[in-house]
């Protein structure tokens, strides 16, 4: 069985669906603090509990006979990480330490890990490769980098292999429209844009149009959540096949500005989506675009849904059919 921590979250639930499609037995561990029970179908076994509870995790590993772990369970709000850093150290760093200790006790020696482009901080390069300096500018990125390093040392000491996947901007939803993004509070650009045609907000705020980019708004690299899920399965197969520990960027490798995203959403939804320029949001780098060739060469992974219109259309299908997310 593959244990997916945080499998009731946005990326986790898409990954669970992909693993089931590939014929894996899947066990989800989630404390449901931010995850949704309804996002996990009945084909996966559900263990409700917290990764920081070592006894609980040991029981999960014993009962499931786990072969490997895919680790999503973490706090992931950049803003909150700056006002409550200890929450991030506790849940992300301490939580991972307990998880790895429980894996060690149960002889589970493979882990795929959900990391982030935030480990790079303000990159001084146009196309970010995995080997550039890691200088996170927020606690969230710092804790993810600590988690990566913890896994590196566990490989050296115990032979526990890992793959860290550094996501850029994850977006979209499963095209069947039954699972998707449901965060509270929502801070991500695409779901916020789509709240306008859903009549949940009157207009969009664009945070800054004075960045050194062609239209003055921030540029990001948007990757479809289903492509991301597929990459996790491929990373798992890499480790099962005896592959070595590694870290990879996961992105589409193309950059789109906030204004371009709004324009694409107008076309997809047919709604005018009014937008007004607001001051910059603290800590936003002007441009974050990945060089995604390492994962293509090492794992043969190539994103398939790279059109931002397709990404937005899939997100729109989910949000318009579930305006209250997983809530009733
Ligand atoms: N934006 C707006 N208006 C909004 C929301 C966002 O203009 O209402 C802008 C942001 O300023 C930014 C862009 O849209 O320029 C994308 O913002 P998101 O919040 O969707 O995503 P981020 O790039 O800030 O963050 C993402 C992930 C984080 C991760 C980070 C790595 O969501 O988890 O990339 O830098 F840490």
């Amino acid at each position: 069985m593959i244990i997916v921590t945080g499998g009731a979250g946005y990326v986790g639930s898409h990954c669970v669906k992909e693993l089931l499609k590939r014929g894996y037995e899947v066990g989800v561990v989630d404390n449901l603090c931010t995850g949704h029970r309804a996002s996990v179908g009945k084909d996966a076994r559900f263990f409700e509990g917290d990764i920081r509870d070592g006894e609980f995790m040991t029981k999960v590993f014993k009962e499931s006979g786990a072969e490997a772990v895919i680790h999503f369970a973490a706090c992931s709000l950049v803003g909150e990480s700056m006002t409550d850093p200890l929450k991030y150290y506790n849940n992300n760093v301490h939580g991972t330490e307990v998880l790895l200790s429980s894996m060690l006790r149960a002889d589970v020696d493979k882990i795929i890990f959900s990391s982030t482009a935030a480990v790079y901080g303000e990159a001084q390069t146009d196309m970010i490769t995995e080997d550039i300096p890691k200088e996170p500018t927020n606690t969230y990125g710092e804790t993810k980098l600590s988690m990566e390093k913890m896994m590196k040392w566990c490989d050296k000491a115990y032979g526990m292999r890992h793959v860290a996947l550094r996501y850029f901007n994850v977006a979209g939803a499963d095209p069947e429209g039954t699972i998707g993004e449901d965060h509270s509070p929502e801070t991500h650009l695409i779901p916020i844009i789509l709240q306008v045609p859903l009549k949940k907000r009157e207009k969009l705020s664009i945070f800054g149009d004075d960045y050194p980019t062609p239209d003055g708004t921030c540029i990001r690299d948007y990757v479809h959540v289903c492509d991301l899920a597929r990459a996790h399965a491929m990373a798992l197969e890499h480790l099962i096949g005896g592959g070595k520990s590694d870290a990879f960027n996961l992105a589409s490798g193309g950059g789109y500005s906030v204004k371009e995203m709004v324009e694409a959403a107008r076309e997809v939804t047919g709604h005018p989506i009014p937008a007004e320029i607001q001051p910059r949001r603290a800590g936003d780098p002007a441009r974050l675009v990945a060089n995604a060739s390492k994962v293509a060469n090492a794992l043969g992974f190539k994103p398939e849904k790279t059109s931002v219109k397709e990404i937005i259309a899939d997100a729109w299908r989910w949000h318009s059919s579930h305006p209250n997310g997983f809530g009733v």
Side-chain angles (χ1 to χ4, degrees), residues 116 118 140 169 187-189 205-207 218 220 281 284 288:
T116 169
Y140 167 64
N169 288 60
T187 60
H188 295 114
L189 179 65
S205 298
I206 294 179
F207 299 139
C218 288
R220 293 290 181 272
R281 189 172 70 176
D284 276 345
L288 277 178

Side-chain angles (χ1 to χ4, degrees), residues 8-175:
Y10 169 47
V11 182
S13 59
H14 285 81
C15 191
V16 168
K17 191 166 178 186
E18 175 69 24
L19 293 173
L20 290 170
K21 201 168 86 186
R22 289 177 182 237
Y24 289 101
E25 269 186 80
V26 180
V28 169
V29 169
D30 204 298
N31 64 8
L32 298 180
C33 272
T34 54
H36 305 278
R37 181 66 184 86
S39 70
V40 182
K42 53 182 179 346
D43 294 336
R45 183 146 176 214
F46 194 80
F47 299 94
E48 185 172 343
D50 199 297
I51 56 162
R52 290 166 294 186
D53 181 346
E55 257 178 52
F56 162 71
M57 288 310 303
T58 302
K59 202 166 146 243
V60 167
F61 286 133
K62 265 204 191 129
E63 268 184 35
S64 62
E67 177 181 8
V69 172
I70 306 190
H71 180 30
F72 295 101
C75 296
S76 63
L77 298 174
V78 172
E80 184 190 53
S81 80
M82 298 303 278
T83 53
D84 197 358
L86 291 177
K87 176 176 178 184
Y88 281 68
Y89 274 90
N90 182 268
N91 199 22
N92 296 3
V93 180
H94 169 62
T96 300
E97 182 256 316
V98 176
L99 173 69
L100 295 174
S101 302
S102 312
M103 285 173 62
L104 191 61
R105 276 196 298 276
D107 276 329
V108 183
D109 63 355
K110 294 178 273 305
I111 180 164
I112 309 298
F113 166 56
S114 152
S115 189
T116 169
V119 299
Y120 299 115
E122 281 275 358
Q124 303 302 318
T125 169
D126 260 7
M127 297 288 269
I128 297 170
T129 51
E130 287 81 353
D131 53 359
I132 67 163
K134 287 21 147 242
E135 286 160 7
T137 52
N138 54 59
T139 315
Y140 167 64
E142 190 73 52
T143 59
K144 288 276 175 168
L145 187 57
S146 304
M147 293 152 83
E148 283 195 18
K149 287 183 177 169
M150 206 187 303
M151 290 180 199
K152 178 185 87 175
W153 295 111
C154 285
D155 186 355
K156 284 193 197 300
Y158 317 123
M160 192 185 272
R161 287 171 297 131
H162 71 276
V163 171
L165 298 172
R166 298 179 186 144
Y167 314 158
F168 282 64
N169 288 60
V170 189
D174 186 82

